[in-house]
């Protein structure tokens, strides 16, 4: 919401203007008050469009059609003047965030909420289709979340079903990523009610997973995927996947009608709003979104009627809002969605309010509903580099990782940790800027990593988190350096990167080459031994060689280290184990990175009766080791560069479980800290965009940031400082699970 500018009129059609809600290529949307005191969202068309007879005819026709619509989940037009010099229309208003803001700010919605959302929107579309109309632009920015249910807004491009569009031939009408294949092919004669159902399917997939089913990026690429590729519903909960998939059928005839879709979504076991006896309307929203509703309610009611002298000087129009008029949603780099996660809990005095407290906080809003009788919130400012909630600028961070390949578990864990950090920052009071997270699934592939780097640097993101593999980092690094963009590595360490001379590379994890430190310290101070044996798994490559060399050059307890190699092509570890025991080893360290090969080594040691300390690194700390080694894995100890995600903070764990229904995975706290480090750099620059991203890349290395996992501080060579706080940790197998022992220098 922005102040009126000098050129804005004081009133339009008897409505007193209060503030600007958004501006786009078609016109301006104002918050206004009618003569009777009702708040409305008032859209004014620009004069250059109004001068086009075809456009004015279309506007007149659509106002007539939309004013005839009725339905609880639709926002009615309460006044309009298609014949004015600048045509305008006003819709009823009640505060509430758009679905886009709720998902981008707080992550995927619970299944029950998505069911209720889909049910109500299906009912809204049923009313639209029964009137012979097609909405044509069902998207998250056109869905508002109120206390009692969602509202479908913005019929600015609605057309009578079967009518010929008054737009140019072959024009695509709608928002890429949320339109149907027939819309993507610009076949206006084929666009009917099934197109709205397809768009609703896209919206529900986005709400349930925080991802667009046909990805993001250049509009042409998104349209191509919409027409020719199957939707990506990987992260959509199983209970919704088949129903949403049916909505996304390429053939319009195979999609359910809006009425049938609503019937399928009406599940009294999971749909809270008005489908369960005794359920309250407000029960349909999660607490974080309820808090947004209350915030919007209070803000809208506090707006005084501006005096001319209070208006801001006339300035260039603000960046178009995603919900203002029919402006297209800003495009994002190809790969995945722009998402921000659920807010992490703050201190006790900032705890999320209960539903009753939310209602009390929003009681004034209830009076607006009583007066106005409807909902239409164009309340949140546009997204992008120059706009944000409450007029704050938005600083976008890129995130790239393997989200669908072999490294999916770690990639998704990091993405979720980053989302929580972004939301936590945005929930803080007194911030100078908001954060947004733009994600790209590079699948650990060099070519896709370079594509991500091109997209992110072209977009001018403040910094990039990731990639999550050495291959991707080596491929993307030169492009980020050329653009002076920080590449903040969360889980990657590789000697080739150390030797690359990439000055904008910022690694926030302990170097792989020093991973022997926690193992050596354990064998020095916790289980002192004089004779250590290394089972040197040649299949591990450089990582295994570095560990072997470190243990050889610095034998634990100033003793001796013997090395017993196993060829990369062999899976028989028994000869090496026999040789180690013949050397009277008191402890055995496995240098490999394969959990399957580690399991074979563990079984060989168990069969030989060895019960002394058995150690390895984080690479083998996978379920496959426990499954294949069985009892032989009991007692194994591991050095890791990541902490225990469940032990860093009860609030962090609770927020993660609330958002994703599961405990945080490995590297999630480290990703959370990486976002915090970049945010601290931006704050130290005053939140200004003037020096970003180059200034951010330089500032990172001068900071000391106390994170959840560890303290981040860098030495003169831009390497992570290992002291005063250690950056390595120890785990041990206990009862078929990996138990966290603690920071390696504190384990006794």
């Amino acid at each position: 919401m922005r102040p009126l500018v000098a050129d804005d009129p004081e009133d339009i059609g008897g409505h007193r203007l209060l503030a600007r809600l958004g501006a786009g290529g078609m016109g301006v949307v104002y918050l206004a008050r009618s003569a009777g005191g009702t708040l409305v969202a008032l859209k004014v068309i620009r004069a250059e469009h109004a001068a086009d007879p075809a456009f004015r005819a279309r506007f007149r026709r659509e106002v007539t059609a939309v004013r005839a619509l009725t339905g609880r989940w639709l926002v009615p037009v309460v006044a309009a003047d298609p014949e004015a010099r600048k045509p305008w229309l006003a819709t009823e208003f009640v505060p509430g965030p758009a679905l886009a803001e709720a998902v981008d700010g707080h992550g995927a919605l619970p299944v029950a909420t998505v069911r209720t959302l889909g049910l109500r929107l299906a009912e809204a579309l049923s009313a639209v289709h029964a009137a012979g109309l097609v909405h044509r632009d069902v998207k998250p920015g056109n869905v508002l979340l109120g206390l009692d249910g969602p509202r479908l807004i913005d019929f600015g491009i609605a057309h009578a079903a079967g009518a010929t569009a008054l737009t140019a031939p072959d024009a695509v009408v709608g928002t890429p990523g949320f339109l149907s294949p027939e819309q993507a092919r610009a076949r206006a004669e084929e666009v009917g009610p099934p197109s709205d159902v397809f768009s609703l399917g896209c919206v529900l997939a986005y709400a349930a997973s925080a991802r667009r089913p046909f990805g993001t990026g250049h509009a042409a690429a998104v349209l191509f995927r919409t027409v020719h590729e199957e939707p990506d519903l990987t992260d959509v909960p199983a209970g919704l996947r088949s129903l949403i998939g049916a909505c996304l059928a390429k053939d319009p005839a195979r999609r359910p009608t809006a009425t049938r879709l609503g019937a399928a979504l009406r599940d009294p076991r999971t749909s809270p709003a008005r489908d369960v006896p005794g359920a309250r309307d407000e029960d349909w929203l999660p607490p974080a979104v309820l808090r947004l509703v209350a915030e919007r309610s209070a803000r809208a009611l506090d707006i005084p009627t501006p005096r001319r002298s209070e208006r801001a000087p006339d300035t260039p129009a603000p960046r178009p809002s995603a919900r203002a008029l029919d402006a297209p949603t800003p495009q994002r780099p190809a790969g995945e969605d722009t998402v921000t996660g659920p807010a992490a809990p703050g201190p006790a005095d900032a705890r999320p309010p209960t539903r009753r407290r939310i209602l009390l906080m929003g009681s004034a809003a209830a009076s607006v509903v009583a007066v106005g009788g409807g909902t239409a919130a164009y309340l949140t400012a546009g997204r992008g580099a120059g706009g944000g909630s409450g007029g704050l600028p938005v600083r976008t961070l890129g995130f790239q990782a393997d989200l669908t390949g072999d490294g999916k578990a770690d990639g998704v864990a990091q993405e979720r940790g980053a989302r929580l950090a972004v939301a936590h920052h945005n929930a803080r009071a007194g911030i100078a800027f908001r954060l947004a997270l733009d994600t790209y699934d590079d699948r650990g592939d060099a070519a896709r990593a370079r594509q991500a780097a091109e997209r992110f640097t072209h977009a001018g993101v403040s910094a990039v988190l990731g990639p999550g593999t050495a291959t991707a980092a080596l491929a993307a690094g030169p492009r980020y350096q050329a653009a002076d963009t920080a590449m903040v590595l969360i889980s990657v360490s590789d000697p080739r990167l150390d030797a690359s001379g990439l000055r904008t590379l910022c690694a926030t994890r302990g170097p792989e080459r020093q991973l022997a430190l926690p193992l050596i310290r354990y064998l020095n101070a916790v289980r002192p031994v004089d004779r250590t044996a290394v089972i040197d798994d040649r299949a591990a490559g450089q990582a295994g060689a570095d560990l072997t060399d470190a243990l050889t050059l610095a034998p634990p307890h100033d003793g001796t280290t013997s090395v017993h190699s196993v060829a990369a092509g062999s899976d028989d570890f028994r000869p090496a184990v026999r040789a180690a025991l013949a050397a009277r080893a008191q402890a055995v360290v496995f240098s490999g990175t394969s959990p399957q090969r580690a399991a074979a080594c563990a079984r060989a040691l168990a069969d030989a009766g060895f019960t002394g300390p058995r150690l390895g690194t984080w690479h083998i700390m996978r379920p496959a080791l426990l499954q294949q080694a069985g009892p032989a894995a009991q007692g194994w100890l591991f050095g890791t560069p990541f902490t225990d995600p469940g032990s860093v903070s009860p609030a962090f764990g609770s927020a993660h479980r609330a958002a994703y229904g599961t405990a945080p995975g490995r590297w999630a706290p480290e990703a959370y800290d990486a976002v915090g480090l970049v945010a601290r750099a931006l704050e130290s620059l005053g939140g200004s965009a003037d020096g970003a991203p180059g200034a951010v890349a330089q500032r990172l290395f001068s900071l000391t940031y106390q994170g959840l996992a560890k303290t981040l501080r860098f030495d003169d060579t831009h390497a992570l400082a290992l002291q005063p706080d250690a950056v390595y940790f120890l785990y041990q197998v206990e009862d078929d699970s990996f138990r966290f022992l603690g920071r390696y220098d504190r384990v006794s």
Side-chain angles (χ1 to χ4, degrees):
M1 191 179 306
R2 297 173 184 241
L4 299 173
V5 301
D7 285 347
D8 287 330
E10 291 189 3
D11 66 83
I12 294 176
H15 296 81
R16 186 65 180 267
L17 303 189
L18 304 177
R20 281 187 168 220
L21 296 175
M26 302 302 294
V28 182
V29 179
Y30 298 99
L31 177 65
R33 182 177 288 117
S34 71
T38 303
L39 289 177
V40 299
L42 193 148
K43 177 193 294 187
V44 182
I45 304 300
R46 296 190 187 280
E48 58 267 31
H49 298 298
D52 180 357
F55 181 92
R56 189 177 284 271
R58 170 186 166 187
F59 186 85
R60 184 186 303 113
R61 182 190 68 200
E62 292 177 352
V63 167
T64 300
V66 174
R67 292 190 75 167
L69 285 173
T70 59
R72 178 174 181 182
W73 314 115
L74 296 171
V75 178
V77 173
V78 296
D81 187 355
E83 310 304 328
R85 186 178 68 84
K86 293 182 179 181
W88 60 270
L89 63 84
T91 58
E92 290 181 346
F93 174 91
V94 71
L99 176 63
E101 181 186 3
V103 174
D104 284 358
H106 300 281
L109 299 177
V111 171
T113 298
V114 175
R115 280 190 172 275
T116 301
L117 175 74
L119 169 62
R120 301 313 182 207
L121 293 179
E123 291 175 353
L125 287 177
S126 294
V128 172
H129 299 161
L133 299 175
V134 183
H135 188 285
R136 297 176 66 97
D137 199 17
V138 179
K139 62 182 180 182
N142 281 342
V143 176
L144 302 177
L145 306 179
L147 283 176
D148 60 342
R151 298 300 193 278
L152 183 61
I153 66 169
D154 202 349
F155 284 79
I157 56 171
H159 289 270
T164 302
L166 296 179
T167 51
D170 299 324
V172 174
V173 179
T175 302
F178 296 99
L179 44 67
S180 65
E182 53 268 32
Q183 287 175 291
R185 290 190 294 260
R187 297 178 180 175
E189 70 281 0
E190 297 179 5
V191 176
S195 294
D196 284 345
V197 172
F198 188 97
S199 298
L200 179 54
C202 294
V203 168
L204 296 181
Y206 167 80
S209 66
R211 295 185 186 280
R212 299 188 183 194
F214 297 101
T216 59
H218 193 277
V222 177
L223 295 176
F224 180 88
R225 291 193 291 269
T226 300
V227 174
H228 299 287
E229 297 181 5
E230 292 303 310
D232 181 4
L233 302 179
T234 305
D235 291 337
V236 174
L240 296 169
R241 196 174 301 145
S242 61
L243 188 56
I244 291 175
C247 296
L248 300 181
K250 303 296 185 189
D251 181 359
R254 297 182 59 189
R255 300 170 201 155
T257 64
T259 301
R260 286 179 54 201
L261 176 61
L265 287 166
R266 189 184 295 275
D267 184 349
R269 295 168 301 174
T270 56
S271 295
R274 297 176 99 64
D275 288 327
V276 177
R280 298 170 297 182
D281 287 335
E282 70 272 15
D283 287 336
W284 86 286
L285 288 172
V289 181
L290 281 171
R291 187 162 52 246
L292 273 180
V293 175
E295 174 190 328
R296 298 296 184 267
S297 301
R299 188 193 302 177
L301 292 172
D302 284 343
I303 296 177
T305 300
R307 296 189 298 271
R308 175 65 64 177
S309 60
E310 294 176 338
R311 298 190 177 196
D314 196 8
T315 57
R319 186 182 182 92
S321 167
R323 290 184 298 284
L325 310 175
D326 53 0
T329 300
Q331 295 303 305
R332 302 176 176 91
E336 297 297 338
D337 295 43
T338 298
V339 288
T340 53
D349 59 350
R351 65 190 185 279
T354 64
R355 296 182 190 278
R356 177 171 177 80
R357 288 173 60 204
I358 285 286
L359 290 177
L360 291 174
M361 292 163 62
S363 60
S367 66
V368 175
V369 178
V371 173
T375 63
Y378 298 79
L379 198 54
T380 303
R383 300 176 59 233
S389 178
L392 292 178
V394 174
R395 302 291 170 245
T396 300
L397 309 183
F399 176 90
Q400 68 175 101
D402 180 1
L403 300 174
T404 55
D406 293 339
K408 175 182 177 180
D410 287 348
V412 170
Q414 292 177 44
E415 183 190 25
R416 289 176 173 179
R419 289 185 191 180
L420 289 176
V422 166
H424 191 179
H425 170 88
N426 291 343
R428 289 166 48 199
I431 57 175
F433 58 89
R434 289 174 59 85
L435 291 177
L437 195 69
D438 223 352
T439 69
Y440 190 104
D441 180 8
D442 65 22
R443 302 175 191 165
D445 175 74
R448 288 183 61 85
R450 283 189 287 269
Q451 287 180 341
E454 288 294 333
R455 296 291 186 183
F456 285 148
T457 54
H458 179 72
V461 299
S462 297
V464 173
L465 311 176
T469 66
T471 298
L474 287 164
R479 182 67 186 91
Y480 288 131
Q481 174 161 293
D484 282 336
T485 302
M487 182 173 71
V488 183
L489 299 182
I490 298 166
S491 59
V492 174
S493 175
D494 190 281
R496 294 170 294 175
L497 287 167
D498 298 337
S500 66
L502 294 172
R503 63 180 181 277
T504 62
L505 184 154
C506 178
T508 63
R509 58 148 287 186
E512 187 74 22
R513 66 181 182 276
Q514 299 192 45
L515 199 54
L517 283 176
L519 307 185
I520 293 173
R521 195 267 177 186
Y522 182 83
L523 296 177
N524 278 339
V526 183
R527 294 285 298 275
V529 297
D530 297 320
R531 295 183 298 278
T532 303
V534 176
I535 304 299
D536 179 25
D537 185 4
R538 295 298 178 87
Q542 189 62 47
D546 287 344
L547 184 62
T548 299
D549 290 346
L551 287 159
T552 303
L553 294 172
H557 213 234
D558 292 327
T560 61
T561 298
S562 59
V563 178
H564 312 278
S565 299
V566 178
S570 172
D571 58 2
D572 186 0
F573 286 83
R574 290 173 296 180
V577 166
R578 286 196 295 267
L581 299 188
R584 296 186 299 156
Q586 297 167 315
V588 173
V589 177
F590 177 74
S591 73
T593 58
S594 163
Q596 292 82 7
R597 292 174 68 81
C601 180
R603 293 194 301 269
L605 285 167
D607 290 344
F610 183 78
T611 58
R614 291 143 293 157
L615 304 92
T617 65
W618 67 283
H619 298 284
I620 64 174
M621 209 179 83
R622 299 284 184 179
L625 172 64
L626 303 178
Q627 295 163 3
Q628 297 185 25
Q634 187 71 16
W636 271 65
L637 186 122
F638 311 92
T640 77
F642 52 80
T643 190
D644 174 27
S647 68
V648 294
S649 163
F652 178 76
S654 297
H656 195 284
R657 282 188 292 272
Y660 305 111
T662 183
R666 64 171 62 174
W667 300 112
E670 285 76 13
Y672 187 98
D673 289 349
V675 172
L677 176 68
V678 175
R680 178 66 56 80
L682 286 165
E683 289 168 352
S684 71
L685 294 168
S688 170
D690 295 340
V696 174
Q698 294 180 14
R699 189 60 60 93
L700 291 175
F701 300 108
S702 65
L703 299 174
T704 296
Y705 179 73
Q706 179 61 58
L708 289 178
K710 56 183 175 285
T711 297
L712 298 177
R713 184 173 63 85
F714 302 89
D715 60 26
D716 292 340
T717 67
H718 289 185
L720 184 67
L722 303 187
Q723 297 297 334
D725 291 321
V727 294
Y728 298 105
F729 307 87
L730 290 173
Y731 286 75
Q732 189 169 33
V733 176
E734 183 178 288
D735 297 329
D736 295 325
S737 64
F738 299 109
R739 183 171 71 90
F740 182 61
L741 299 183
R743 215 175 76 180
Y744 86 95
D745 59 331
R746 294 177 176 173
V747 173
S748 61

